[in-house]
Amino acid sequence: NIENAKNNLHEIEKYKKSLEGQYHYAYTIFYISLVSLMLYSEDKDKKYLKDAKKQIKQMKLWAKHCPANYQHKYYLMQAELMRATGKTEQAKEYFDKAIFGAKQENMYCDEALAWQLAARFYIKINKTHLAEYYMQNAHNVYKKWGALAVCNYIEQQHPTLIYTNNYKINENKNEIKTNETVVIGNNTTVFDTGNSLDMSSVIKASQSLSGEVHLEKLLQNMMQIIIENAGADSGFIITNDNEKYNIEAEYNHKNKIMSVLQNENIENSKKLSANIIKYVIRTRKVLVLDNATNNSTYENDEYIKNNKVKSVLCQPIIHKNKLVAILYLENNINVGVFTEQRLDTINILSSQIAISIENALLYENLEQKVQERTKELVAQKKLVEQKNEHITASVRYAKTIQTATLPFEERIKKQLDLFILFRPKDIVSGDFYWFTHLPAKDEFSEKKFIAAVDCTGHGVPGAFMSMIGMQLLNKIVNQDKTISPADILLQLHNGIYESLKQATSSNTDGMDVCLCCIESENTQQFKITFSGAKRPLYYFEKEKNKLTRIKGDRKTIGGKIRINSLTHFSNKEIVLQKNDLLYLTTDGYVDQNNKERQKIGSPKLKEILNNIANKPLSEQKQILETELDNWQAEEKQRDDITVVGIKL
């Protein structure tokens, strides 16, 4: 009821705050988001979308701290958000996660609602079989919960989706019985159970598969359900293990022989047609052969010819755009067994199979980690370790290269009295410091340039950016003799913009810079020219015992700003005396959080610098590191950290 929903949404805002601290508040947030997304779907008013996202953000936080109560609710809210914003594949994934999570926690109310909303979603995208499947499950769970009024409502609203007259539910055993019709003619036996069989097959599969997390038992159940309901007399499940395709389950209906976890490679198997499997792997399309022996493409296939194969169905099982497994079915008694109706049922089952296999593999992997992995995975573990060692070794070598490109601190100290606090978050850094010295010439006096630079990202991507930045700065100053810090930043911006082809690509990487040019007016006085791209400069005047912060320009180097729209950076000049100090920083220090998620922040940094400015540089660095360590404690480092202190 759209109008009532709007009114109630407005009314609840008056009272919502009074519920904070009570468990009812979480349900309030939950339903506000679902109703808001329903209203957004109706009239596309973005205020509803904005409000829903706000509630989802809150639920995500609760889900992190108490997943048993809130994780499945968060998934359902996300599913509705994806549905309302047209992201169909993501919606499917989140609906299934919500259902599975609620089922695991025995939250019947939330599970039933998730089934119901998913069914409405599938109705909208014209997936009738899936809509039947999800709505029938919603009806069953509502009934199990005792919400009979809701069951009646569903039956009235969706009579074509609920088959209350075609099947009978055994309350004690929770089984569904169908009326089965057998049609015999022309030596062909066909089991025709219409929609009732489709629904019972899917519901039975759902109950059997979604609750099973042990891979061996899962494969057994899966194989038996498929063989019984697809009209096949033999079948196989082939799994994809890093592009190695192995038979993991085999079932022969005639001999009632079941084999699982065989790990038999299809290349070495004589049990099925490897050519058909390879075709499905390559095309990711379902292949149905009514009579393989008379099919012009496969009649000369050695396996098909020797075994006089008739009906064949080969179905790729895809989840999250990954080929998880392949279902291979045969019927060597009759032709044309795998009809469109049976194919629809198998399509529904295949989506359940994909999710169940992934869940079972995840559970198996978790068990194996607890048991320090089984013997079967020792080789794979060693391979992963070797790959990790290789990657780490490559990154460490990248660190060696990056360190070599950074100016040596001892060389800088021959020109400036300074300390450098440099802490990469990862092995390599997206921060860098840069220094160069231009001796006095006829056209200008001696100039010393120093910069603290923060590139987009950290780790390897940031390190690549840092090397590009250092190369460009060396060219701009040392080769082109650009001496104005503002001009240097503008040319650096243009260089990044062109190097990364940002005019024609979606790349928005850039860097924030604090750059100073230091000139000696005489032995007692210094002229400092500062230009900043989103980074400030701190300076301390000994005589006044005062720390001052100069803001940089609110522009970054590179990124989204086009060359033509960026006119210039600005220079700011100050005159300082001997023993005065300069401090250049990236944002890593001030952004570091403690266990209460509080950042150090600029005021705290300013306080620290003011307190240490009269101490020796080595002691200043030590105090800055101690303050950082005490603040951070056991928390992870958020970003690369660079602080440069210079005594004039």
Side-chain angles (χ1 to χ4, degrees):
N1 188 314
I2 300 298
E3 286 307 313
N4 276 356
K6 285 182 179 178
N7 294 336
N8 290 339
L9 202 61
H10 176 72
E11 284 295 308
I12 203 169
E13 287 298 327
K14 300 177 184 178
Y15 308 105
K16 185 175 68 172
K17 199 164 183 63
S18 65
L19 285 173
E20 288 184 1
Q22 301 181 49
Y23 78 91
H24 305 84
Y25 187 62
Y27 271 98
T28 306
I29 294 297
F30 180 53
Y31 287 116
I32 284 175
S33 74
L34 297 182
V35 173
S36 296
L37 290 166
M38 180 187 73
L39 294 173
Y40 173 73
S41 299
E42 290 292 323
D43 56 19
K44 299 302 178 186
D45 187 338
K46 288 189 177 179
K47 72 178 182 181
Y48 293 123
L49 184 62
K50 183 179 179 181
D51 195 36
K53 287 181 177 179
K54 180 181 175 183
Q55 316 307 328
I56 292 171
K57 185 177 180 181
Q58 176 64 64
M59 188 62 74
K60 183 179 182 180
L61 179 63
W62 291 336
K64 180 180 178 182
H65 294 291
C66 187
N69 284 348
Y70 301 120
Q71 187 70 58
H72 63 275
K73 289 184 176 66
Y74 168 69
Y75 284 148
L76 185 54
M77 293 159 80
Q78 279 284 33
E80 280 290 280
L81 176 62
M82 296 300 105
R83 176 198 61 74
T85 53
K87 298 176 181 176
T88 302
E89 292 305 314
Q90 292 95 320
K92 292 177 183 177
E93 182 181 341
Y94 276 115
F95 275 125
D96 288 338
K97 283 183 175 181
I99 292 165
F100 182 79
K103 188 180 185 71
Q104 290 291 99
E105 303 301 335
N106 293 321
M107 298 279 196
Y108 297 137
C109 173
D110 295 343
E111 182 192 349
L113 181 60
W115 283 114
Q116 186 180 7
L117 293 179
R120 290 182 182 177
F121 162 69
Y122 284 114
I123 290 170
K124 287 286 186 183
I125 62 173
N126 297 318
K127 297 288 184 182
T128 308
H129 283 292
L130 286 170
E132 290 175 358
Y133 163 51
Y134 281 84
M135 193 64 80
Q136 186 66 62
N137 274 296
H139 185 275
N140 291 344
V141 179
Y142 275 128
K143 189 168 185 178
K144 186 177 181 181
W145 185 42
L148 300 182
V150 183
C151 292
N152 291 335
Y153 171 79
I154 290 175
E155 290 167 15
Q156 292 167 10
Q157 293 293 315
H158 306 286
T160 60
L161 301 184
I162 305 300
Y163 299 96
T164 54
N165 297 323
N166 296 338
Y167 62 83
K168 188 175 182 182
I169 297 181
N170 184 325
E171 298 292 348
N172 296 323
K173 298 182 179 180
N174 196 26
E175 293 176 349
I176 297 174
K177 299 181 179 180
T178 62
N179 297 318
E180 188 178 79
T181 303
V182 181
V183 181
I184 302 176
N186 299 325
N187 297 321
T188 300
T189 303
V190 180
F191 294 90
D192 184 6
T193 57
N195 288 331
S196 297
L197 176 60
D198 286 349
M199 289 307 303
S200 65
S201 300
V202 173
I203 293 168
K204 182 180 178 182
S206 173
Q207 292 171 339
S208 176
L209 303 182
S210 65
E212 184 57 67
V213 293
H214 292 283
L215 186 60
E216 182 176 1
K217 187 70 181 297
L218 174 69
L219 290 170
Q220 289 176 349
N221 292 349
M222 195 180 290
M223 201 73 259
Q224 190 162 353
I225 289 167
I226 291 167
I227 291 291
E228 287 176 355
N229 295 293
D233 56 24
S234 65
F236 302 85
I237 293 176
I238 299 105
T239 60
N240 177 6
D241 180 13
N242 292 323
E243 304 303 319
K244 293 180 180 178
Y245 294 90
N246 300 318
I247 298 172
E248 290 292 359
E250 175 186 354
Y251 186 60
N252 188 295
H253 186 59
K254 182 178 180 181
N255 300 324
K256 303 293 183 185
I257 297 173
M258 171 79 74
S259 303
V260 295
L261 299 179
Q262 302 159 276
N263 200 30
E264 179 182 347
N265 192 278
I266 60 167
E267 296 288 353
N268 305 323
S269 177
K270 303 295 183 183
K271 301 174 181 177
L272 44 68
S273 170
N275 288 329
I276 289 176
I277 301 293
K278 289 174 183 177
Y279 171 82
V280 172
I281 292 170
R282 187 175 70 255
T283 63
R284 293 192 171 196
K285 293 180 180 178
V286 63
L287 178 64
V288 179
L289 302 178
D290 288 336
N291 190 344
T293 306
N294 294 336
N295 184 278
S296 58
T297 305
Y298 295 102
E299 61 185 355
N300 294 321
D301 180 287
E302 186 177 347
Y303 169 81
I304 288 174
K305 190 163 53 175
N306 292 342
N307 292 276
K308 298 179 181 178
V309 178
K310 292 188 171 72
S311 299
V312 176
L313 168 64
C314 192
Q315 168 99 25
I317 299 173
I318 298 171
H319 186 52
K320 295 180 182 176
N321 205 31
K322 177 187 174 185
L323 183 60
V324 176
I326 297 163
L327 177 64
Y328 180 94
L329 303 175
E330 284 185 7
N331 187 310
N332 287 339
I333 301 172
N334 305 301
V335 298
V337 168
F338 302 114
T339 62
E340 184 177 348
Q341 183 180 356
R342 293 185 189 279
L343 189 58
D344 286 342
T345 304
I346 292 170
N347 280 334
I348 297 173
L349 290 175
S350 70
S351 64
Q352 288 295 305
I353 290 167
I355 295 167
S356 298
I357 287 176
E358 189 172 78
N359 289 337
L361 289 173
L362 177 62
Y363 183 83
E364 187 178 66
N365 288 338
L366 289 172
E367 279 192 327
Q368 288 162 352
K369 286 179 182 177
V370 173
Q371 300 167 2
E372 296 182 346
R373 295 189 177 271
T374 58
K375 291 181 180 180
E376 290 90 356
L377 291 177
V378 168
Q380 183 181 351
K381 181 182 177 183
K382 287 181 179 178
L383 180 62
V384 171
E385 288 173 349
Q386 288 170 359
K387 287 182 178 179
N388 287 340
E389 287 173 8
H390 179 70
I391 292 168
T392 303
S394 299
V395 175
R396 291 193 185 280
Y397 186 70
K399 178 180 175 63
T400 304
I401 297 171
Q402 186 183 40
T403 303
T405 59
L406 287 169
F408 290 107
E409 189 172 344
E410 294 306 315
R411 184 171 72 85
I412 304 175
K413 285 182 176 179
K414 291 180 181 179
Q415 300 289 336
L416 293 172
D417 188 11
L418 86 170
F419 72 79
I420 300 174
L421 193 167
F422 184 62
R423 284 192 185 181
K425 178 185 183 295
D426 303 307
I427 297 174
V428 288
S429 175
D431 277 10
F432 70 93
Y433 54 89
W434 174 80
F435 172 81
T436 195
H437 168 235
L438 295 181
K441 287 196 174 182
D442 294 340
E443 64 269 25
F444 54 74
S445 60
E446 180 188 45
K447 298 179 187 297
K448 299 171 185 178
F449 296 88
I450 189 159
V453 185
D454 181 3
C455 299
T456 300
H458 43 76
V460 174
F464 276 116
M465 281 293 295
S466 73
M467 296 182 73
I468 293 171
M470 280 187 276
Q471 183 183 24
L472 287 170
L473 283 170
N474 286 328
K475 177 182 181 299
I476 292 164
V477 179
N478 295 329
Q479 293 181 28
D480 300 342
K481 304 302 180 188
T482 304
I483 58 173
S484 163
D487 292 343
I488 293 169
L489 292 190
L490 182 59
Q491 290 187 38
L492 178 62
H493 170 79
N494 294 345
I496 293 292
Y497 194 81
E498 291 170 356
S499 297
L500 301 181
K501 297 180 174 60
Q502 292 181 331
T504 57
S505 73
S506 59
N507 184 289
T508 58
D509 292 337
M511 52 187 70
D512 299 338
V513 185
C514 175
L515 173 65
C516 288
C517 174
I518 304 171
E519 300 175 78
S520 303
E521 297 288 335
N522 51 55
T523 56
Q524 299 298 316
Q525 201 171 54
F526 299 84
K527 175 186 172 185
I528 313 298
T529 307
F530 158 71
S531 187
K534 284 196 170 180
R535 295 306 308 148
L537 171 70
Y538 298 89
Y539 66 90
F540 183 83
E541 297 171 279
K542 288 260 186 178
E543 189 174 324
K544 298 179 182 178
N545 196 33
K546 178 184 176 184
L547 183 76
T548 305
R549 180 176 182 265
I550 311 176
K551 291 183 179 180
D553 294 309
R554 293 182 62 81
K555 304 168 186 173
T556 192
I557 302 295
K560 295 181 180 178
I561 303 174
R562 297 183 178 278
I563 296 176
N564 295 335
S565 65
L566 183 68
T567 54
H568 66 282
F569 287 91
S570 61
N571 280 330
K572 298 175 179 67
E573 294 184 0
I574 54 174
V575 176
L576 297 177
Q577 308 303 315
K578 186 177 180 180
N579 294 325
D580 288 347
L581 294 111
L582 300 173
Y583 297 101
L584 297 78
T585 75
T586 60
D587 62 1
Y589 198 101
V590 296
D591 283 348
Q592 181 57 49
N593 65 290
N594 60 12
K595 63 181 180 181
E596 279 82 32
R597 299 184 180 181
Q598 297 171 327
K599 296 180 181 180
I600 291 178
S602 296
K604 175 72 173 175
L605 175 60
K606 194 172 179 181
E607 179 187 332
I608 296 170
L609 294 177
N610 202 47
N611 292 337
I612 67 175
N614 287 308
K615 299 181 184 296
L617 288 178
S618 58
E619 192 175 336
Q620 290 188 35
K621 179 180 179 181
Q622 185 178 0
I623 293 171
L624 280 165
E625 289 181 323
T626 302
E627 290 281 353
L628 179 62
D629 292 338
N630 291 341
W631 184 271
Q632 183 178 344
E634 299 300 319
E635 293 299 302
K636 290 183 179 179
Q637 185 174 329
R638 285 174 57 99
D639 199 359
D640 302 311
I641 295 172
T642 305
V643 181
V644 179
I646 304 164
K647 186 175 183 181
L648 299 172

